[in-house]
């Protein structure tokens, strides 16, 4: 299968263009390439600046977007317009993140707890995909500026624990940024590749990748067999990292100088200075024994021994995670043959020592810990480009395969460039009470609306027993066998009824057609994703209208006249918004209706609970 590059500027197909590796991180992101002459992986940077681009997006009053170092300065002064850690929101619903909601200083919409989260800035709504696409766009532009050539193809890394939806969201973000995402690979896999692990032809190895960044910790156990990486287990803590190390230093200094929490809360400038100085101290202590600072007449100190004492509980937590990961992988620690270190915080000697003591072997730490993931992504990109002739490319799917969901959207089950054979399953449900059948339409292509893709097959799963909407569990599975035959199966799990169909996705499809379909998907990406966002907003609006109507029908007698009128008006406004082509308007009207219904919905709930409790002895 030939790899196709598309020059967005000219619309022409390019066969020789470089493929970049991108580490789209929670805190920082960066781009790497394989240097065409030295053949070595290289992180891209402008003269005298860092290769790291802070994963921060700032919106000004006029809606202008800045990304990276320039956006970082607004973190403290404009917390509502400055979005950090968007990666933590990828593919998540509000329910998924509500326990950590206080972490986000910007507005994460919390009404529709089941649907995907959105961030509100002024009167605009952004999905995590939009936010990530701004970061990717910046990375793309930087890379183009440095390389002086268009950059349109990339390999992007994601955490090993990312699910299908999160991976698809990352692909979409790439597409929206004008990038043809050739493959999404796991961060630990990329880190291993950067160390040359898994590149040997007949290599078989079990390794651990320990990744301690600014705000997250991940440990992954990987099994490498003949170039195939299998994740045996992952563990970690999504809220543990170098930022915690900075905080304990700030705490020690507060004690030394007699500063209170309240004083720091009041004085944002001082609080920011302390945090930055603490980070500086931490980094210096990786090489020095003591750090001293004079601040407003106070002498603030910290020694390496003190620092190591303060962060010991955090390090112990990471080691506990390593133990769990080893147990989940069903192996012994002694079977781990290499340990790869990733993330800036692994530069702390106490961290290195603890990890090496746990695994009973020296760790791999020679590659720059901040860049190692991007460098590995570049290695993978080079393999995909066919430059690494030593490395055999496995059979892959040239186009994505998926099914049609609500509003004519394409839901991808097997992304393009997946290795075959492969098997993927996903659960769906009904959206009408008593719905007895479900039509499964199978499509191929990269566009967001199925009408722009190629239809491969269609069948009906009928005989679903009558159940309320949302209760049936229909598992749709896609299996592509080694001969490239796709078997699509749908099974309702509660009743066991099932139906399947077989197709040959490549049948009648020439290389030129595949190229055209890819080119279309990139040139229409902006429009497609806007359409998808509108369809999703409308579906959300329609569902809210339906549930509100049901609720009012049941509980009208418990509501005041005023509440009924306000609700009717808000419903009408939402209904009207649904007929217009404006997703932000739909989101605003959904918000307004939710604001009105929330107080009485809670009241009616409470009443129902207290009625149910009456007469019951506890
Ligand atoms: P990452 O998310 O991988 O970019 O890691 C960033 C984290 O690594 C931040 O908390 C940094 O303060 C931390 N870090 C970077 N360099 C050092 C160093 N030399 N010693 C200790 N921590 C560091």
């Amino acid at each position: 299968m030939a790899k196709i590059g598309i020059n967005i500027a000219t619309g022409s197909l390019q066969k020789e263009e470089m493929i970049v590796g991108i580490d789209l991180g929670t805190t920082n992101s960066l781009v790497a390439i394989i240097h065409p002459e030295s053949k070595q992986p290289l992180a891209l940077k402008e003269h005298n600046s860092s290769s790291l681009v802070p994963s921060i997006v700032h919106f000004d009053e006029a809606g202008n977007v800045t990304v990276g170092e320039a956006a970082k300065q607004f973190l403290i002064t404009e917390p509502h317009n400055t979005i950090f850690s968007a990666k933590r929101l990828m593919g998540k619903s509000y329910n998924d993140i509500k326990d950590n909601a206080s972490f986000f200083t910007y507005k994460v919409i919390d009404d529709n707890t089941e649907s995907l989260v959105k961030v509100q800035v002024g009167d605009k709504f952004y999905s995590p995909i939009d936010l990530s696409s701004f970061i990717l766009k910046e990375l793309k532009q930087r890379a183009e500026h440095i390389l002086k050539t268009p950059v349109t193809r990339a390999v992007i890394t994601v955490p090993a624990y990312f699910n299908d939806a999160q991976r698809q969201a990352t692909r979409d973000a790439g597409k929206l940024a004008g990038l043809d995402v050739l493959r999404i690979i796991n961060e630990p896999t990329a880190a291993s590749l950067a160390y040359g692990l898994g590149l040997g032809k007949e290599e078989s190895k079990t390794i651990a990748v320990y990744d301690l960044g600014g705000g997250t910790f991940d440990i992954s156990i990987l099994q490498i067999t003949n170039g195939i990486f299998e994740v045996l287990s992952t563990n970690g803590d999504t809220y543990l990292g170098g930022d915690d190390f900075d905080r304990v230093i700030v705490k020690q200094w507060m004690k030394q100088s007699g500063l209170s929490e309240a004083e720091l809360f009041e004085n944002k400038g001082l609080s920011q200075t302390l945090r930055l100085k603490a980070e500086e101290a931490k980094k210096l202590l990786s090489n020095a024994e003591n750090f001293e600072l004079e601040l407003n007449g106070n002498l603030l100190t910290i020694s390496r021994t003190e620092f190591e004492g303060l962060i010991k509980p955090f390090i112990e937590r990471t080691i506990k995670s390593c133990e769990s990961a080893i147990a989940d992988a069903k192996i012994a620690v002694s079977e781990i043959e290499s340990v790869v270190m990733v993330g800036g915080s692994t530069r702390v000697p106490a961290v290195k020592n603890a990890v090496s003591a746990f695994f009973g072997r020296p760790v791999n730490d020679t590659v720059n810990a901040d860049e190692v993931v991007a460098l590995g992504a570049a290695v993978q990109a080079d393999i995909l480009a066919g430059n690494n002739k030593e490395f055999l490319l496995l059979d892959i799917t040239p186009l994505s395969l998926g099914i049609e969901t609500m509003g004519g959207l394409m839901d991808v089950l097997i992304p393009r460039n997946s290795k075959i054979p492969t098997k993927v399953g996903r659960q769906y449900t009904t959206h009408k009470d008593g719905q007895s059948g479900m039509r499964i339409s199978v499509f191929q292509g990269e566009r967001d609306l199925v009408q722009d893709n190629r239809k491969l097959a269609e069948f009906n799963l009928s005989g679903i027993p009558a159940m309320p909407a949302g209760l049936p569990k229909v598992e749709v599975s896609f299996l592509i066998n080694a001969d490239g035959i796709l078997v699509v199966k749908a099974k309702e799990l509660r009743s066991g009824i099932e139906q399947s169909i077989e197709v040959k996705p490549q049948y009648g499809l020439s290389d030129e057609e595949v190229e055209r379909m890819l080119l279309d998907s990139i040139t229409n990406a902006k429009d497609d994703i806007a359409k998808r966002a509108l369809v999703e907003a409308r579906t959300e609006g329609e569902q809210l209208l339906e549930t509100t109507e049901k609720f009012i029908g049941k509980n009208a007698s418990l509501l005041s006249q005023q509440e009924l009128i306000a609700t009717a008006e808000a419903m009408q406004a939402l209904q009207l918004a649904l007929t217009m082509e404006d997703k932000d308007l739909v989101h605003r009207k959904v918000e307004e209706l939710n604001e009105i219904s929330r107080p009485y919905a809670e009241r009616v709930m409470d009443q129902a609970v207290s009625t149910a409790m009456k007469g019951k002895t506890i």
Side-chain angles (χ1 to χ4, degrees):
M1 169 62 206
K3 293 285 169 300
I4 305 131
I6 296 155
N7 182 339
I8 306 284
T10 62
S12 67
L13 295 175
Q14 299 196 325
K15 306 255 177 191
E16 304 302 330
E17 196 203 313
M18 194 173 276
I19 309 176
V20 299
I22 297 183
D23 173 3
L24 181 62
T26 310
T27 320
N28 294 304
S29 300
L30 70 153
V31 186
I33 56 157
I34 299 295
H35 193 278
E37 273 132 44
S38 75
K39 305 287 176 211
Q40 291 305 307
L42 173 80
L44 295 181
K45 60 176 163 195
E46 311 255 10
H47 277 304
N48 298 326
S49 77
S50 161
S51 58
L52 303 182
V53 176
S55 306
I56 302 175
V57 183
H58 172 260
F59 298 91
D60 72 7
E61 296 277 311
N64 297 317
V65 183
T66 38
V67 174
E69 214 50 65
K72 197 173 180 177
Q73 57 178 336
F74 294 106
L75 268 183
I76 301 287
T77 51
E78 294 183 33
H80 302 296
N81 308 345
T82 312
I83 318 298
F84 61 94
S85 274
K87 185 175 176 179
R88 293 181 189 275
L89 303 175
M90 285 297 248
K92 296 279 172 105
S93 71
Y94 188 74
N95 265 345
D96 295 330
I97 58 139
K98 65 171 186 289
D99 292 342
N100 296 298
S102 61
F103 175 85
F104 303 97
T105 52
Y106 43 86
K107 182 159 189 209
V108 181
I109 300 298
D110 59 357
D111 274 325
N112 236 292
T113 49
E114 296 296 337
S115 54
L116 295 180
V117 293
K118 285 178 291 287
V119 167
Q120 186 174 7
V121 180
D123 62 356
K124 286 243 181 325
F125 295 79
Y126 298 97
S127 69
I129 298 177
D130 295 326
L131 297 166
S132 300
S133 82
F134 291 132
I135 298 169
L136 288 169
K137 226 178 267 170
E138 170 75 20
L139 295 174
K140 175 180 183 309
Q141 277 167 7
R142 272 173 67 122
E144 287 175 337
H145 190 238
I146 297 166
L147 297 171
K148 311 245 172 318
T149 149
V151 170
T152 60
R153 297 183 297 170
V155 168
I156 304 182
T157 60
V158 296
Y161 58 78
F162 256 29
N163 62 23
D164 269 1
Q166 294 172 302
R167 285 165 199 264
Q168 187 56 39
T170 307
R171 271 180 190 278
D172 285 348
K175 197 154 90 169
L176 196 52
L179 287 168
D180 181 12
V181 182
L182 293 186
R183 194 170 286 178
I184 296 282
I185 67 168
N186 289 329
E187 288 159 11
T189 300
S192 321
L193 288 173
Y195 277 99
L197 294 166
L199 288 177
K201 263 197 189 128
E202 278 163 20
E203 190 179 347
S204 173
K205 233 177 177 185
T206 312
I207 66 163
V209 181
Y210 178 102
D211 180 349
L212 188 62
T216 58
F217 167 63
D218 296 306
I219 172 79
S220 315
I221 310 294
L222 308 180
Q223 168 74 50
I224 308 172
T225 327
N226 303 332
I228 297 185
F229 288 74
E230 187 191 351
V231 180
L232 295 184
S233 68
T234 64
N235 206 295
D237 190 327
T238 42
Y239 292 88
L240 173 65
D243 299 346
D244 295 295
F245 297 1
D246 304 343
R247 269 192 288 274
V248 289
I249 299 181
V250 170
K251 281 221 171 103
Q252 154 142 340
W253 287 349
M254 284 166 66
K255 268 193 218 142
Q256 286 178 355
S257 60
L259 273 169
S260 68
E261 290 278 354
E263 279 168 287
L264 276 195
F265 187 79
E266 282 296 306
N267 191 340
K268 292 268 190 287
L270 178 63
S271 145
Q272 169 83 332
T273 309
L274 274 180
R275 212 191 54 72
L276 290 176
K277 285 290 172 194
E279 186 178 6
E280 194 182 315
K282 169 184 78 174
K283 290 185 180 171
L284 278 170
L285 289 177
S286 290
N287 297 307
E289 290 301 323
N290 277 298
F291 181 90
E292 275 187 16
L293 160 79
E294 162 121 24
L295 191 75
N296 302 342
N298 289 307
L299 181 66
L300 306 177
T301 66
I302 183 146
S303 71
R304 188 194 282 192
T305 322
E306 282 171 315
F307 174 60
E308 289 180 354
L310 292 172
I311 62 168
K312 198 160 176 235
F314 298 124
I315 300 181
E316 280 171 358
R317 263 164 62 191
T318 69
I319 299 298
K320 279 249 165 314
S321 286
C322 294
E323 279 171 7
S324 307
I326 292 281
D328 290 346
K330 300 195 173 50
I331 55 167
V333 178
S334 57
E335 288 175 64
I336 297 289
E337 293 161 272
S338 291
V339 181
V340 171
M341 299 297 257
V342 181
S345 300
T346 59
R347 295 205 180 93
V348 174
V351 170
K352 258 186 233 183
N353 294 339
V355 176
S356 148
F358 174 76
F359 286 102
R361 59 172 53 253
V363 295
N364 286 296
D365 62 356
T366 47
V367 179
N368 182 320
D370 294 310
E371 296 178 348
V372 61
V373 168
L375 296 173
V379 172
Q380 174 71 69
D382 198 49
I383 294 171
L384 287 175
N387 295 337
N388 199 327
K389 297 273 188 285
E390 289 288 285
F391 208 76
L392 203 68
L393 263 183
L394 299 150
D395 274 347
I396 49 173
T397 56
L399 292 166
S400 302
L401 296 160
I403 64 168
E404 175 176 359
T405 56
M406 291 273 279
L409 293 179
M410 170 89 173
D411 195 29
V412 172
L413 276 97
I414 300 183
R416 66 181 277 246
N417 279 333
S418 296
K419 292 185 199 113
I420 53 177
T422 182
K423 184 174 185 222
V424 179
R426 194 171 296 165
Q427 277 189 16
Y428 298 86
T429 189
T430 52
H431 59 271
K432 290 240 167 356
D433 289 342
Q435 189 177 330
S436 66
M438 204 180 220
R439 197 184 48 178
I440 311 289
S441 308
V442 183
F443 284 85
Q444 176 177 45
E446 310 311 309
R447 304 285 299 273
D448 286 84
L449 298 182
V450 291
Q451 70 188 40
D452 301 316
N453 288 332
R454 181 170 176 247
K455 190 174 200 168
L456 293 179
E458 186 169 79
F459 65 95
N460 259 312
L461 179 68
S462 51
I464 302 175
M467 282 183 255
L471 216 55
K473 282 188 181 162
V474 177
E475 163 114 354
V476 175
S477 63
F478 274 38
L479 180 131
I480 305 185
N481 64 22
D483 301 326
I485 306 284
L486 168 70
V487 179
V488 179
K489 192 153 91 181
K491 180 173 183 176
E492 202 287 305
L493 300 178
R494 293 180 194 274
S495 56
I497 57 159
E498 65 174 73
Q499 188 78 43
S500 69
I501 203 165
E502 247 182 45
V503 271
K504 216 175 158 200
Q506 257 72 287
Y507 187 76
L509 197 62
S510 65
D511 272 5
E512 287 69 36
E513 274 167 304
V514 173
E515 291 195 14
R516 187 189 50 76
M517 288 174 82
L518 289 176
L519 181 60
D520 278 355
S521 83
I522 301 285
T523 45
N524 292 298
K526 242 196 162 126
D527 199 35
D528 270 10
I529 290 182
K531 272 190 209 149
R532 172 184 278 269
L534 183 64
V535 170
E536 283 170 350
R538 280 182 179 158
T539 306
E540 192 181 329
E542 278 161 11
Q543 279 169 345
L544 180 65
L545 280 178
E546 228 170 275
T547 44
T548 314
E549 211 165 279
K550 259 198 206 163
F551 185 89
I552 299 278
K554 258 204 209 149
N555 303 298
S557 60
L558 300 170
L559 270 51
S560 72
Q561 196 62 22
Q562 219 175 3
E563 285 170 336
L564 287 171
I565 293 174
T567 307
E569 279 172 4
M571 285 175 77
Q572 221 165 34
L574 175 55
Q575 192 89 59
L576 185 65
L578 289 181
T579 63
M580 292 185 231
E581 308 274 312
D582 183 348
K583 78 164 168 72
D584 284 330
L585 181 70
V586 176
H587 285 313
R588 272 203 299 281
K589 296 299 159 195
V590 163
E591 275 288 286
E592 283 168 23
L593 179 53
N594 270 320
E595 299 268 310
I596 292 171
S597 59
R598 195 183 304 116
Y600 64 70
E602 280 171 8
R603 200 179 67 223
V604 171
M605 258 346 166
D606 288 348
Q607 275 176 14
V609 171
S610 64
T611 317
M613 304 284 276
K614 252 185 223 154
K616 282 196 186 152
T617 42
I618 299 172

